[in-house]
Amino acid sequence: MTFFTTSDDKRIYYTDTGSGIPLLCLAGLTRCSQDFSHLAPHVTDLRMITMDYRGRGKSDHDPDYMNYNVLRESHDVIELLDHLGLDRVVVLGTSRGGLIVMALAASHPDRLAGVILNDVGPVIEPAGIAKIMDYVGKPPMSATYDDAALAMQNTMQHQFPDVSLERWRQQVEIQYEQTDEGLALRYDPALRTALLDQAAAGATPDLWMFFEVLRDIPTGVIRGANSDVLGKDTLIEMHKRHPGLISAEIPDRGHVPFLDEPQSLDLIRKVLDTA
């Protein structure tokens, strides 16, 4: 396993495989590096880099849970790039990862050779926020991977109608850890407290200002056709504010596409070709 140590002494897990154009993949709020396992077989010609944010996956938990925020996590990304000696990368950000990318656009646009946002934009739909807060920080109800896969399929089938039980079984293995007591989260449950306290602390920044910095950077957006996080109107507005933006809508997918869909792979390649 590979780790680097941040400026505030946290061990952060990352992977760095292959060669070619560097593609940094940033996962969702509660996810980890394994979330890109479906994409990995399709980008073997690239240098694929992933990381577990602090408090997620194999990385150190932070005793100060308020450090589970987009700005601190974006700073950790820059420290990883410095650790690897990379001046510029194409960044693929899924959900929370996309918010981190927009923060990077505001603070370090020179480090971004290209950007792919997976089902996320400057506006998060209220229904999506409600769904996230319904599960984040709560232990899984199921005791086994098989039970969890069935539960996830039942919960998600209206957004992902054609996804097999086998795929959901793979997904729950990524998201949960099997223990003697049942399934456990692969992240610090204090992430929920961080989100609640940060929301109570005041208004969030206007992410449109961050997104607009991407106008000079090749940018693509992947949207699940059934997404409850990235709304159609938000995507339309993103095109208005970034004339060079390209996008793809993935049928029979909600939040978030797995990234091995043909439309997702085609958009990723288009951004890589122009970066």
Side-chain angles (χ1 to χ4, degrees), residues 148-159:
L150 281 170
M152 187 172 285
Q153 185 180 53
N154 290 334
T155 300
M156 303 297 288
Q157 63 184 351
H158 68 291
Q159 288 188 327

Side-chain angles (χ1 to χ4, degrees), residues 178-228:
Q178 183 73 64
T179 72
D180 293 339
E181 290 76 35
L183 298 183
L185 302 174
R186 291 192 186 273
Y187 62 90
D188 186 351
L191 183 59
R192 178 181 184 83
T193 310
L195 294 176
L196 292 171
D197 286 3
Q198 289 159 14
T204 57
D206 180 4
L207 293 178
W208 284 112
M209 294 188 299
F210 293 6
F211 172 77
E212 288 174 0
V213 181
L214 295 172
R215 282 179 297 187
D216 298 324
I217 299 170
T219 304
V221 179
I222 295 167
R223 178 181 182 270
N226 301 327
S227 177
D228 55 7

Side-chain angles (χ1 to χ4, degrees), residues 41-249:
H42 302 277
V43 292
T44 54
D45 58 318
L46 305 177
R47 181 179 177 183
M48 183 174 174
I49 303 161
T50 68
M51 68 181 292
D52 291 353
Y53 310 133
R54 59 180 61 210
R56 283 77 143 193
K58 299 180 179 71
S59 293
D60 284 350
H61 290 193
D62 196 321
D64 181 359
Y65 60 78
M66 290 300 280
N67 283 329
Y68 298 145
N69 68 74
V70 168
L71 293 181
R72 176 67 245 190
E73 290 158 10
S74 69
H75 190 70
D76 291 344
V77 170
I78 293 299
E79 293 191 350
L80 172 60
L81 297 183
D82 290 345
H83 173 76
L84 296 175
L86 290 170
D87 292 329
R88 299 174 77 238
V89 294
V90 177
V91 185
L92 192 168
T94 290
S95 196
R96 173 76 156 214
L99 302 183
I100 292 172
V101 172
M102 284 184 270
L104 290 172
S107 63
H108 295 82
D110 56 310
R111 308 299 291 268
L112 303 176
V115 165
I116 302 145
L117 301 175
N118 183 20
D119 210 61
V120 67
V123 176
I124 308 299
E125 294 297 310
I129 294 174
K131 185 176 73 174
I132 291 167
M133 293 310 300
D134 189 52
Y135 73 79
V136 69
K138 299 178 181 179
M141 299 291 289
S142 302
T144 68
Y145 285 137
D146 287 342
D147 289 346
L150 281 170
M152 187 172 285
Q153 185 180 53
N154 290 334
T155 300
M156 303 297 288
Q157 63 184 351
H158 68 291
Q159 288 188 327
F160 296 81
D162 64 345
V163 175
S164 68
L165 183 60
E166 179 184 4
R167 173 56 67 93
W168 291 124
R169 180 60 156 74
Q170 295 169 352
Q171 197 62 35
V172 296
E173 288 187 24
I174 290 171
Q175 292 182 219
Y176 306 132
E177 180 181 2
Q178 183 73 64
T179 72
D180 293 339
E181 290 76 35
L183 298 183
L185 302 174
R186 291 192 186 273
Y187 62 90
D188 186 351
L191 183 59
R192 178 181 184 83
T193 310
L195 294 176
L196 292 171
D197 286 3
Q198 289 159 14
T204 57
D206 180 4
L207 293 178
W208 284 112
M209 294 188 299
F210 293 6
F211 172 77
E212 288 174 0
V213 181
L214 295 172
R215 282 179 297 187
D216 298 324
I217 299 170
T219 304
V221 179
I222 295 167
R223 178 181 182 270
N226 301 327
S227 177
D228 55 7
V229 169
L230 176 57
K232 290 184 178 181
D233 291 344
T234 298
L235 182 56
I236 291 170
E237 185 65 22
M238 292 167 75
H239 274 283
K240 290 179 181 178
R241 300 197 190 201
H242 188 318
L245 184 73
I246 61 173
S247 65
E249 187 167 88

